[in-house]
């Protein structure tokens, strides 16, 4: 558990720097007007005006109970927001939902929000933040695993059930659960701009096995085995694919579930992500030196 005044102060400074770099002010939200703005923003991001992902009543209850609701503002305009609540493990904060306006993409608003949430959590003696994300969304995998150095710990098939919104479409809602150890050396390095980036090409040169590859036509191609280091591909833009070729998007969902989910269930750890669209997994057993058949 993080307790030192130095850790709290350092986290606050990192949060302020990231907000300044993004050109926003990030603050905790409790006022009903601010919470209404969060509901409107999330409705726009997810395309769910008639059925928003959260309601103002729920946010009011969360705020009153001492949970986290943060918003990133440029002047008086809300550009991004994040909502988190205490998990059953008292030292863990669960980040339920975060969204950033499409108009502000590329400004690192999401990074500023995450560092504000981290500073808030450290000041309240949380040691970890957990959240889920769609493993098919390459940019989110890169953000979570490289920019933040969060570690995937569990594959959750169809976690939310049928969502039918502007982001998920008719796809199954598979998720990766990640845990962000707030004072881990790799986390501090990543948020300071010294992130370690995965390199699937280099891993191949050292014998990594493609458990799931991609064809020249963009289709998933299952491999025939796995090894001490395994690679799992994802499509470059699953959201566009859901709109233009839903059957192919469904193929990718099933293939990644079998490959990534199967490897994790068999004890392989997701250690890195290559921005070109590859999960890099390692088996913790140092004696595992020969390729084996992919777990079913």
């Amino acid at each position: 558990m993080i307790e030192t005044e130095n850790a709290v102060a350092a986290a606050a400074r990192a949060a302020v720097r990231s907000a300044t770099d993004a050109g926003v002010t990030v603050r905790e939200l409790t006022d009903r007007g601010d919470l209404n703005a969060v509901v409107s923003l999330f409705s726009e991001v997810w395309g769910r005006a008639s059925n928003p992902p959260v309601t103002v009543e729920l946010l009011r209850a969360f705020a009153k109970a001492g949970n986290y609701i943060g918003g990133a503002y440029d002047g008086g305009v809300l550009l991004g927001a994040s909502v988190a609540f205490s998990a059953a493990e008292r030292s863990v904060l669960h980040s339920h939902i975060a969204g950033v306006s499409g108009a502000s993409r590329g400004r690192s608003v999401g990074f500023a929000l995450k560092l504000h949430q981290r500073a808030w959590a450290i000041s309240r003696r949380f040691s970890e933040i957990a959240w889920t994300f769609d493993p098919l969304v390459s940019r989110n995998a890169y953000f979570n695993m490289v920019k933040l150095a969060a570690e995937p710990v569990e594959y959750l098939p169809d976690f939310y059930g049928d969502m039918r919104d502007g982001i998920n479409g008719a796809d199954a809602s598979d998720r990766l659960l990640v845990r962000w150890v707030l004072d881990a050396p790799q986390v501090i390095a990543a948020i300071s701009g010294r992130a370690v980036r995965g390199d699937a090409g280099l891993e191949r040169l050292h014998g990594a096995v493609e458990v799931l590859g991609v064809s020249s036509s963009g289709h998933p191609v299952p491999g025939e085995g796995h090894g001490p280091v395994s690679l799992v591909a994802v499509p470059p833009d699953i959201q566009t694919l859901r709109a233009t070729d839903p059957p192919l998007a469904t193929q990718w969902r099933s293939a990644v579930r079998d490959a990534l989910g199967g490897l994790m269930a068999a004890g392989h750890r997701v250690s890195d992500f290559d921005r070109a669209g590859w999960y890099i997994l390692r088996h913790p057993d140092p004696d595992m030196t020969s390729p084996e058949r992919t777990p079913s």
Side-chain angles (χ1 to χ4, degrees):
M1 186 174 293
I2 302 171
E3 299 182 20
T4 70
E5 291 183 10
N6 287 342
V8 173
R13 288 194 298 271
V16 170
R17 281 197 303 270
S18 65
T20 300
D21 290 345
V24 296
T25 300
V26 186
R27 57 183 174 86
E28 190 176 355
L29 308 180
T30 58
D31 177 78
R32 188 164 57 235
D34 288 333
L35 300 181
N36 272 313
V38 172
V39 173
S40 296
L41 175 67
F42 286 169
S43 296
E44 176 188 340
V45 170
W46 273 269
R48 290 172 54 175
S50 61
N51 178 31
V54 294
T55 64
V56 70
E57 294 87 357
L58 179 63
L59 295 183
R60 286 283 279 177
F62 275 6
K64 181 63 176 174
N67 293 294
Y68 175 84
I69 305 169
Y73 284 84
D74 185 348
V77 179
L78 181 67
L79 298 183
S82 179
V83 178
F85 51 83
S86 298
E89 298 173 73
R90 296 297 295 271
S91 62
V92 179
L93 183 71
H94 184 84
S95 187
H96 171 57
I97 186 169
V100 174
S101 167
S104 63
R105 189 164 293 165
R107 288 179 52 176
S108 297
V109 174
F111 186 70
L113 271 169
K114 212 66 191 172
L115 264 62
H116 182 270
Q117 186 184 73
R118 175 177 179 268
W120 185 96
I122 288 175
S123 71
R124 287 157 178 80
R125 302 178 69 185
F126 289 98
S127 60
E128 297 182 20
I129 301 176
W131 65 90
T132 65
F133 75 94
D134 186 341
L136 290 183
V137 182
S138 181
R139 68 173 182 272
N140 286 356
Y142 179 81
F143 176 75
N144 290 324
M145 294 187 59
V146 179
K147 294 283 288 182
L148 299 177
E151 182 181 0
V153 295
E154 188 177 0
Y155 191 98
L156 304 168
D158 203 20
F159 185 61
Y160 293 109
D162 188 8
M163 299 185 76
R164 301 274 176 173
D165 56 35
I167 292 178
N168 297 281
D171 198 4
S173 57
D174 289 26
R175 294 293 183 265
L176 272 182
L177 175 66
V178 298
R179 299 188 74 148
W180 199 28
V181 181
L182 301 180
D183 64 346
Q186 66 270 24
V187 170
I188 294 171
I191 65 175
S192 301
R194 304 189 307 275
V196 177
R197 291 166 172 80
D199 188 334
L202 183 61
E203 298 290 354
R204 283 190 197 90
L205 290 176
H206 289 90
V209 177
E210 282 192 14
V211 175
L212 182 67
V214 55
S215 72
S216 59
S217 61
H219 287 72
V221 180
E224 295 185 355
H226 63 80
V229 180
S230 300
L231 305 176
V232 174
V234 292
D237 187 351
I238 186 61
Q239 287 177 264
T240 296
L241 200 60
R242 284 173 182 146
T244 59
D245 193 342
L248 181 54
T250 299
Q251 285 183 42
W252 271 107
R253 174 64 81 200
S254 178
V256 171
R257 179 186 293 175
D258 289 345
L260 184 60
L263 286 169
M264 292 181 72
H268 296 250
R269 182 178 67 86
V270 185
S271 64
D272 303 286
F273 186 81
D274 185 326
R275 197 169 195 172
W278 296 90
Y279 287 97
I280 302 170
L281 298 95
R282 304 180 193 279
H283 197 281
D285 183 357
D287 295 327
M288 182 184 175
T289 57
S290 59
E292 302 288 346
R293 290 196 58 79
T294 305
S296 58

